[in-house]
Amino acid sequence: MAELVYRPVVGAALTMFKALDLKIDTQGSENIPRSGGAVLVSNHISYLDFIFTGLAALPQKRLVRFMAKDSVFRHKVSGPLMRGMKHIPVDREQGEDAYKHALESLRSGEIVGVFPEATISQSFTLKSFKSGAARLAQEAGVPLIPMALWGTQRVWTKGRPRNFKRAHIPVTIRVGEPVEAPADQYAGAITRRLRERVQELLEAAQRAYPVRPKDADDTWWVPAHLGGTAPTPAEVRESR
């Protein structure tokens, strides 16, 4: 089936990233299957993470169908694009329909993208994972593909202005080997393994990141446990 919306949107994103001179370093894309269903699972630190997660699948000639909150689909600009790209709307009050939609997509051989933290992590550390990704993989009989992003928070994240200047920001992407999701295992145990793997990939991406803060005012994007001034997870919880 022709992708009349998705491919032009990908082209526009690549053009924008080139104009911004983002330095994108991707490793591990070969772990994304060239055919068949899979659940692609990433950490979540930026409003643009779905774009970067999707870019990781392009070397394998795959397009990712993301699960995203339904309000994005109701927006007059993003809504037609999201529907045209066959992404999956999620109503957090009634998640059953989104789950069924995602399951059908996986069984038809699609890659479904999931952010199991559900919301952006303002501490830039890994939050707890919801078990939906593991349950989807189990029921569809497909693997989980873990990945991690780093640097995307410097472009556009929650509570910070967008940086759409030509700032030469590096973005590091790491994709790991598949995590199997046997139907006879507890989804919680699979979710814990998955989170551990994403944490390992996140730490690898942080170690590989080629720049450090320029000065004291530029430490906001570094987690507190790494010496930055991003809020700790406890501080984020207290601010709500």
Side-chain angles (χ1 to χ4, degrees):
M1 186 179 294
E3 295 287 348
L4 299 178
V5 177
Y6 209 138
R7 295 194 188 282
V9 169
V10 169
L14 291 173
T15 299
M16 180 182 76
F17 294 160
K18 185 174 182 180
L20 296 176
D21 196 31
L22 299 186
K23 307 297 185 182
I24 302 174
D25 169 26
T26 304
Q27 291 184 15
S29 288
E30 68 276 6
N31 291 311
I32 297 172
R34 281 192 172 270
S35 62
V39 182
L40 188 58
V41 176
S42 176
N43 65 319
H44 197 12
I45 53 176
S46 163
Y47 288 116
L48 300 179
D49 286 342
F50 72 98
I51 300 178
F52 291 103
T53 302
L55 290 182
L58 291 183
Q60 297 295 83
K61 297 180 169 37
R62 301 301 303 272
L63 298 175
V64 182
R65 315 300 176 182
F66 286 95
M67 301 184 75
K69 58 184 181 181
D70 60 347
S71 60
V72 180
F73 290 78
R74 294 196 300 269
H75 189 274
K76 63 180 181 180
V77 175
S78 62
L81 292 175
M82 295 295 282
R83 289 188 291 274
M85 290 185 281
K86 305 182 185 70
H87 295 316
I88 302 168
V90 179
D91 182 343
R92 288 177 182 167
E93 305 262 322
Q94 299 175 326
E96 187 176 340
D97 288 345
Y99 185 91
K100 289 179 180 178
H101 187 166
L103 194 57
E104 290 171 2
S105 295
L106 290 168
R107 285 173 171 165
S108 67
E110 299 276 13
I111 293 181
V112 171
V114 177
F115 297 105
E117 296 168 279
T119 57
I120 289 173
S121 171
Q122 292 177 267
S123 67
F124 309 131
T125 61
L126 209 57
K127 299 163 62 177
S128 61
F129 277 19
K130 297 186 181 301
S131 63
R135 290 186 288 110
L136 278 170
Q138 284 182 297
E139 197 166 345
V142 301
L144 293 150
I145 311 296
M147 65 173 291
L149 305 166
W150 192 244
T152 62
Q153 75 273 34
R154 298 180 64 201
V155 183
W156 188 17
T157 193
K158 193 171 184 177
R160 300 287 305 188
R162 292 173 293 185
N163 185 359
F164 285 174
K165 301 175 183 176
R166 191 175 171 83
H168 321 293
I169 294 172
V171 171
T172 303
I173 303 172
R174 294 293 181 266
V175 185
E177 295 180 354
V179 174
E180 297 303 320
D184 60 351
Q185 288 189 12
Y186 176 52
I190 297 170
T191 301
R192 285 193 292 274
R193 286 202 305 275
L194 177 66
R195 187 184 181 281
E196 289 170 1
R197 187 63 184 121
V198 173
Q199 178 66 39
E200 291 171 359
L201 292 165
L202 176 58
E203 291 173 4
Q206 289 168 336
R207 287 193 300 270
Y209 201 66
V211 302
R212 297 293 179 266
K214 298 187 295 289
D215 51 40
D217 292 332
D218 191 41
T219 59
W220 64 267
W221 55 272
V222 179
H225 74 277
L226 293 180
T229 54
T232 65
E235 289 170 340
V236 173
R237 288 192 296 270
E238 289 171 4
S239 68
R240 289 175 181 165

